[in-house]
């Protein structure tokens, strides 16, 4: 009882290390061990351990993005939905705490990504819209802290643009691709080595969008920018 929380913290850290090293089998193994311990800790003291429980559930649910095992998607969804419920409760209790809205938005974004990956576009759209609303509110309330969220926001905007493209909403696809591009241009300006690939990705998708819609001028414009970023 005295050391269960320390054991769980070590297990979730090991899960993260293995996941960062692309060893998703061991990553999932240690996340599950951590979750078992956090469930026991939460049962004894929900106020102290709800956030840790939500984190473990989120990490396990997010593993689907890397492992992409269609046979077990319901399991991963279960973890993410439970994580979302816990983050919603934490946010409800303390809406002014930055990390609670941040974690809520991150979970919504991941759910949007998961549903997009299996072509459930309506559900994906719902979660991406919720995530983007929360990110927008984070920016309004605390723009300094929000800077750390910009890479994730850019991915949410980009993926939402892709989703809109899939469902034939060209106007919103263009809008969100461009919002992602604006964020990635700034990130690239600050750190070109880290964000060159992301910027190239946005430019390529915009060029393809214009190619698909028959806008030759913008297609050429963004392909030229893409080639400059890739080959400069």
């Amino acid at each position: 009882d005295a050391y269960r929380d320390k054991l769980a913290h070590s297990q979730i850290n090991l899960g993260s290390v293995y996941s960062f090293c692309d060893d998703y089998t061991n990553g999932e193994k240690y996340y599950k061990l951590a979750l078992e311990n956090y469930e026991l800790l939460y049962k004894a003291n929900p106020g102290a351990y709800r956030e840790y429980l939500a984190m473990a559930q989120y990490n396990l649910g997010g593993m689907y993005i890397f492992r992409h095992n269609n046979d077990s998607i319901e399991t991963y969804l279960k973890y993410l939905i439970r994580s979302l419920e816990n983050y919603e409760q934490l946010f409800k209790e303390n809406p002014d705490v930055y990390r609670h809205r941040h974690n809520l938005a991150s979970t919504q974004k991941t759910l949007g990504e998961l549903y997009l990956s299996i072509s459930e576009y309506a559900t994906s759209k719902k979660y991406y819209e919720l995530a983007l609303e929360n990110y927008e509110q984070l920016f309004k309330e605390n723009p300094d802290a929000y800077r750390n969220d910009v890479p994730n926001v850019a991915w949410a905007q980009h993926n939402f643009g892709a989703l809109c493209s899939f469902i034939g909403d060209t106007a919103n696809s263009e809008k969100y691709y461009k919002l992602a591009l604006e964020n990635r241009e700034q990130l690239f300006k600050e750190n070109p080595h880290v964000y060159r690939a992301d910027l190239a990705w946005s430019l390529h998708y915009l060029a393809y969008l214009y190619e698909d819609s028959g806008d030759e001028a913008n297609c050429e414009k963004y392909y030229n920018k893409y080639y400059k970023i890739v080959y400069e």
Side-chain angles (χ1 to χ4, degrees):
D1 291 338
Y3 288 97
R4 189 180 298 279
D5 65 335
K6 293 179 175 60
L7 176 61
H9 295 344
S10 294
Q11 290 164 335
I12 206 159
N13 287 337
L14 267 171
S16 297
V17 170
Y18 279 117
S19 296
F20 291 149
C21 295
D22 298 332
D23 184 348
Y24 302 121
T25 299
N26 274 314
E28 188 165 332
K29 169 187 171 182
Y30 282 102
Y31 282 151
K32 284 182 176 178
L33 289 170
L35 178 61
E36 290 173 5
N37 280 312
Y38 283 132
E39 285 174 336
L40 291 171
L41 289 162
Y42 172 77
K43 185 176 181 180
N45 191 339
Y49 287 101
R50 185 186 296 277
E51 190 166 0
Y52 289 109
L53 178 63
M55 175 178 61
Q57 292 164 334
Y58 174 82
N59 287 344
L60 269 170
M63 293 296 290
Y64 175 82
I65 302 299
F66 305 107
R67 304 196 73 172
H68 216 299
N69 182 353
N70 285 314
D71 294 334
S72 56
I73 186 172
E74 294 302 325
T75 299
Y76 294 97
L77 272 174
K78 176 187 71 176
Y79 289 129
L80 280 175
I81 294 297
R82 289 178 179 175
S83 176
L84 180 67
E85 290 169 353
N86 280 312
Y87 281 134
E88 285 174 335
Q89 184 62 33
L90 288 163
F91 174 71
K92 182 180 179 180
E93 294 169 358
N94 291 287
D96 296 329
V97 176
Y98 186 94
R99 74 176 185 278
H100 292 333
R101 190 188 289 272
H102 159 84
N103 289 332
L104 181 59
S106 296
T107 308
Q108 291 162 339
K109 169 183 170 291
T110 302
L111 277 165
E113 186 175 353
L114 190 150
Y115 280 111
L116 178 59
S117 73
I118 58 173
S119 303
E120 292 195 19
Y121 298 137
T123 308
S124 175
K125 183 174 184 287
K126 178 183 78 171
Y127 283 114
Y128 271 127
E129 287 175 337
L130 289 170
L132 289 166
E133 287 173 10
N134 277 314
Y135 282 130
E136 184 177 352
Q137 191 62 32
L138 287 171
F139 173 68
K140 289 179 181 177
E141 293 174 357
N142 196 331
D144 291 333
Y146 175 83
R147 286 177 59 82
N148 294 323
D149 272 319
V150 172
N152 287 328
V153 174
W155 271 112
Q157 292 165 331
H158 177 85
N159 287 341
F160 189 67
L163 169 61
C164 291
S165 178
F166 294 153
I167 63 177
D169 186 352
T170 304
N172 272 319
S173 180
E174 180 184 25
K175 173 185 174 181
Y176 283 95
Y177 277 155
K178 284 189 172 180
L179 287 171
L181 178 63
E182 289 174 10
N183 279 320
R184 286 172 168 173
E185 284 175 333
Q186 184 59 40
L187 290 167
F188 175 76
K189 184 178 180 180
E190 296 168 0
N191 195 333
H193 177 71
V194 172
Y195 293 106
R196 184 183 301 277
D198 286 356
L199 178 57
W201 196 258
S202 280
L203 291 167
H204 184 271
Y205 268 73
L206 262 172
Y208 182 79
L209 179 71
Y210 287 124
E211 181 180 9
D212 196 48
S213 65
D215 187 339
E216 295 182 3
N218 273 317
C219 175
E220 183 178 1
K221 171 185 173 182
Y222 284 101
Y223 269 132
N224 285 337
K225 288 185 175 184
Y226 165 76
Y227 288 123
K228 182 178 179 182
I229 289 296
V230 170
Y231 296 112
E232 71 176 5

